[in-house]
Amino acid sequence: MVKQPVSVNGVVRWRDVGLADDAQRKPKERKLVVLRHEIGDVLRDVRQRQGRTLREVSHSARVSLGYLSEVERGQKEASSELLSSICSALEVPLSSMLREVSDRLAEAEGVSIPDTIPQEFSREFGDDLTDDLNDDFRRGLAATNR
């Protein structure tokens, strides 16, 4: 730790300065996460990856262009029916869009997302999954060896 002079109202005082001290004074601030912003970001990302315009998607979803723009910018809270309509227009399952939003929220909150299959799921369906994966793997190998 290092001492540093600090002048407060003309009076010089010595203050401890160091990494440990800064960590104690400034608790880690959490980023405020707004659900409608994350939903809008995901919808915009999907639309842009497809190379589509707001006009095309709004027409397909039967939503006004201005309203869709506000949803994408996180200014409007979209209903589940509206989100379903937009996802249908983007040809993306609503569940996939919400999973992406969930992953982004977890990341912003500092929650780790496991990359493993839960034990209950693997116990119940593990044998079937293993057989399916092995079949897919064999087919892939056969296709590459041709």
Side-chain angles (χ1 to χ4, degrees):
M1 208 141 332
V2 179
K3 299 267 188 188
Q4 180 180 13
V6 176
S7 177
V8 178
N9 295 332
V11 178
V12 176
R13 300 192 182 208
W14 292 89
R15 186 179 88 187
D16 292 331
V17 178
L19 296 176
D21 191 45
D22 288 343
Q24 289 174 354
R25 282 193 197 152
K26 296 178 185 175
K28 187 175 179 181
E29 294 181 24
R30 283 194 167 188
K31 179 183 170 186
L32 177 64
V33 181
V34 180
L35 184 60
R36 69 176 184 266
H37 292 169
E38 296 301 323
I39 289 173
D41 288 345
V42 170
L43 291 173
R44 183 183 314 105
D45 289 348
V46 169
R47 179 181 59 77
Q48 288 176 342
R49 272 187 260 137
Q50 293 177 356
R52 298 177 65 190
T53 64
L54 272 170
R55 187 174 306 282
E56 292 170 343
V57 175
S58 69
H59 180 73
S60 297
R62 296 184 180 173
V63 176
S64 75
L65 181 109
Y67 195 81
L68 179 59
S69 174
E70 288 178 320
V71 168
E72 281 192 0
R73 288 181 282 141
Q75 294 178 340
K76 293 288 182 183
E77 191 89 38
S79 68
S80 58
E81 292 87 359
L82 181 66
L83 289 175
S84 180
S85 178
I86 295 168
C87 287
S88 293
L90 291 169
E91 297 176 355
V92 172
L94 179 62
S95 60
S96 296
M97 187 274 298
L98 291 174
R99 180 168 305 275
E100 176 68 24
V101 170
S102 174
D103 290 348
R104 290 180 182 210
L105 290 174
E107 185 178 320
E109 292 173 341
V111 176
S112 64
I113 303 167
D115 289 337
T116 58
I117 298 172
Q119 288 181 352
E120 303 82 36
F121 186 78
S122 63
R123 267 189 245 122
E124 186 174 344
F125 301 103
D127 295 332
D128 296 337
L129 283 174
T130 304
D131 293 341
D132 291 343
L133 290 173
N134 286 335
D135 291 345
D136 290 344
F137 183 69
R138 282 190 210 104
R139 275 190 237 118
L141 283 178
T144 57
N145 289 334
R146 287 183 197 170

